[in-house]
Amino acid sequence: MDIMQVEDSLVCTRRIPGLARVSFRVLRGPLGERAVAVDTVGARPGNWVFTISGSAARLAVGNGILTDLSIGGIIDRWEEDATSVRD
Amino acid sequence: MDIMQVEDSLVCTRRIPGLARVSFRVLRGPLGERAVAVDTVGARPGNWVFTISGSAARLAVGNGILTDLSIGGIIDRWEEDATSVRD
Amino acid sequence: MDIMQVEDSLVCTRRIPGLARVSFRVLRGPLGERAVAVDTVGARPGNWVFTISGSAARLAVGNGILTDLSIGGIIDRWEEDATSVRD
Amino acid sequence: MDIMQVEDSLVCTRRIPGLARVSFRVLRGPLGERAVAVDTVGARPGNWVFTISGSAARLAVGNGILTDLSIGGIIDRWEEDATSVRD
Amino acid sequence: MDIMQVEDSLVCTRRIPGLARVSFRVLRGPLGERAVAVDTVGARPGNWVFTISGSAARLAVGNGILTDLSIGGIIDRWEEDATSVRD
């Protein structure tokens, strides 16, 4: 599981049926890389979260949602600087 | 799930049976890396899309298609600059 | 499986149901990258461990825990310098 | 799926039973990285191919072959320069 | 599948039950990165091997062993220089 920060929501009108009614978040990792995750815990922009990938991501949100990345939880405390790998 | 831009189609006359009748798109990620995805939503060159990888990619397009990357949806608005991780 | 060092615990009050009662560890890899793993072997900060990813991570800890990374064991002896890839 | 070029065959006399009678190809990616794939389409050195990874790789070649990377098809036309990510 | 060189064995007294009686090898990839794999073919330090990852790694060694990386075979001939991606 990875630690990422919620940046924004993602608006996609045209989607595959298996992702029709889910809420997407654009996340940003410690190196600035972006990823899109399904959110079922209500994460807001600025929140630090941990993400679940692979088949566990699908099982984690259930309901036949065909994702490969899901938000697993919101981290209570996280210092942004601590995530830099170049310090 | 990742955010990538559709670059082109991919012509492959000789394929394995499990990919016989699918439409391929060459995608380009924020760092310039390329990937090939199955497209069932009708994405066009220049569109920004999000991709589903792993076993979810296969379930997302169904019909026994043996892909490890599928286009999950077309993003309504995306600024190309915003995907740079070196800004 | 990867070799990583235990850095800290991770406090997440709000989580998905499939990770409700598990113990998380923040791990640090040889390049400084961080990851979050489920711990069922009782690893302590400073321990070097090896991690299991993917569906094996889930099977390794059982009980329907929806993780994509689990600590597989504590390494008896490991020299930190030996993990540098730039020496 | 990724675009790679066939470099050579790989000779392995001692193998696990699940890969006993398969044909291996050493592939080279756009950044020069190498990978080993099972080939059931008859790709030759110099061919550009696309590869399938993960559980789809196993399903793609069938017969209980325990691979994590399979050649999915031979690309009809591909310009080598176009695969550079640093141009 | 990836090409790596066997570096050493790994001693782990405390492990999860699903990896209780297996033999681990520390492998080193072309960029110097390390990984831990289950070995059922009897690879020795210095051998070049190819590795199987993901769910195929588990199926490849059987017996309910919960690994995400297994040695698939020993390569008969491999030139170390040829694995450099920076030549």
Side-chain angles (χ1 to χ4, degrees):
Chain A
M1 297 171 288
D2 291 310
I3 296 170
M4 302 189 85
Q5 190 175 26
V6 179
E7 202 177 69
D8 207 349
S9 295
L10 189 72
V11 184
C12 290
T13 310
R14 203 146 127 207
R15 314 176 179 187
I16 57 161
L19 288 168
R21 278 177 304 272
V22 301
S23 175
F24 293 125
R25 293 286 177 275
V26 180
L27 309 179
R28 196 153 191 155
L31 294 174
E33 76 280 13
R34 283 201 182 83
V36 178
V38 166
D39 176 33
T40 60
V41 296
R44 291 193 307 263
N47 281 164
W48 285 93
V49 298
F50 71 90
T51 56
I52 311 169
S53 66
S55 52
R58 212 161 64 233
L59 296 168
V61 295
N63 298 318
I65 295 172
L66 297 173
T67 180
D68 66 10
L69 194 72
S70 299
I71 295 178
I74 301 173
I75 302 173
D76 289 10
R77 271 190 317 275
W78 190 257
E79 297 168 40
E80 187 167 6
D81 288 353
T83 65
S84 168
V85 303
R86 305 253 180 243
D87 52 7
Chain B
M1 296 170 287
D2 290 310
I3 295 170
M4 303 190 85
Q5 190 174 26
V6 180
E7 202 178 70
D8 208 348
S9 295
L10 188 73
V11 183
C12 290
T13 309
R14 201 144 128 211
R15 313 176 180 188
I16 58 161
L19 289 167
R21 280 176 303 273
V22 300
S23 175
F24 293 124
R25 293 287 177 274
V26 180
L27 308 180
R28 196 154 191 153
L31 294 174
E33 77 280 13
R34 283 200 182 83
V36 177
V38 167
D39 176 32
T40 60
V41 296
R44 290 192 308 262
N47 281 164
W48 285 92
V49 298
F50 71 90
T51 56
I52 311 168
S53 66
S55 52
R58 211 161 64 233
L59 297 168
V61 295
N63 299 318
I65 295 173
L66 297 173
T67 179
D68 65 9
L69 195 72
S70 298
I71 295 178
I74 301 173
I75 301 173
D76 289 10
R77 271 190 317 276
W78 191 256
E79 297 167 39
E80 186 166 7
D81 289 351
T83 66
S84 167
V85 303
R86 305 254 180 241
D87 53 5
Chain C
M1 296 170 288
D2 291 310
I3 295 171
M4 302 189 86
Q5 190 174 26
V6 180
E7 202 178 68
D8 207 349
S9 296
L10 188 73
V11 183
C12 290
T13 309
R14 204 147 126 207
R15 315 174 177 187
I16 58 159
L19 288 167
R21 279 176 303 271
V22 300
S23 176
F24 293 125
R25 294 286 177 274
V26 180
L27 309 179
R28 196 155 190 152
L31 294 174
E33 77 279 14
R34 282 201 183 82
V36 178
V38 167
D39 176 32
T40 60
V41 297
R44 290 191 309 262
N47 282 164
W48 285 93
V49 298
F50 71 90
T51 56
I52 311 169
S53 65
S55 51
R58 213 161 62 233
L59 297 168
V61 295
N63 298 320
I65 295 173
L66 297 173
T67 180
D68 65 10
L69 194 72
S70 298
I71 295 178
I74 301 173
I75 301 173
D76 289 10
R77 270 190 318 275
W78 190 258
E79 297 168 40
E80 187 167 4
D81 289 353
T83 64
S84 167
V85 303
R86 304 258 178 237
D87 53 5
Chain D
M1 296 169 287
D2 290 310
I3 295 170
M4 302 189 85
Q5 190 174 25
V6 180
E7 202 179 70
D8 207 349
S9 296
L10 188 73
V11 183
C12 290
T13 310
R14 202 145 127 212
R15 313 175 179 188
I16 58 160
L19 288 168
R21 280 176 302 273
V22 301
S23 176
F24 293 124
R25 294 286 178 274
V26 180
L27 308 179
R28 196 154 190 153
L31 294 174
E33 77 280 13
R34 283 199 182 84
V36 177
V38 167
D39 176 33
T40 59
V41 297
R44 291 192 309 261
N47 282 163
W48 286 93
V49 298
F50 71 90
T51 56
I52 310 169
S53 65
S55 52
R58 212 161 64 233
L59 297 168
V61 295
N63 299 318
I65 295 172
L66 297 173
T67 180
D68 66 10
L69 195 71
S70 299
I71 295 178
I74 301 172
I75 301 173
D76 290 10
R77 270 190 318 276
W78 190 257
E79 298 168 38
E80 186 166 5
D81 289 352
T83 65
S84 167
V85 304
R86 305 259 178 236
D87 56 1
Chain E
M1 295 171 288
D2 290 310
I3 294 170
M4 302 189 86
Q5 190 174 26
V6 180
E7 202 178 69
D8 208 348
S9 295
L10 188 72
V11 184
C12 290
T13 310
R14 203 145 127 210
R15 315 175 178 188
I16 57 160
L19 288 168
R21 281 175 303 272
V22 301
S23 176
F24 292 125
R25 295 286 178 274
V26 180
L27 308 180
R28 198 157 188 150
L31 294 174
E33 77 280 13
R34 283 199 183 84
V36 177
V38 167
D39 176 33
T40 59
V41 298
R44 290 192 310 262
N47 282 164
W48 285 93
V49 297
F50 72 89
T51 56
I52 311 169
S53 66
S55 52
R58 213 162 62 233
L59 297 168
V61 296
N63 298 318
I65 295 172
L66 297 173
T67 180
D68 66 9
L69 194 72
S70 299
I71 295 179
I74 301 172
I75 302 173
D76 289 9
R77 269 190 318 276
W78 189 258
E79 298 168 38
E80 187 167 4
D81 289 353
T83 65
S84 167
V85 304
R86 305 252 180 244
D87 54 3

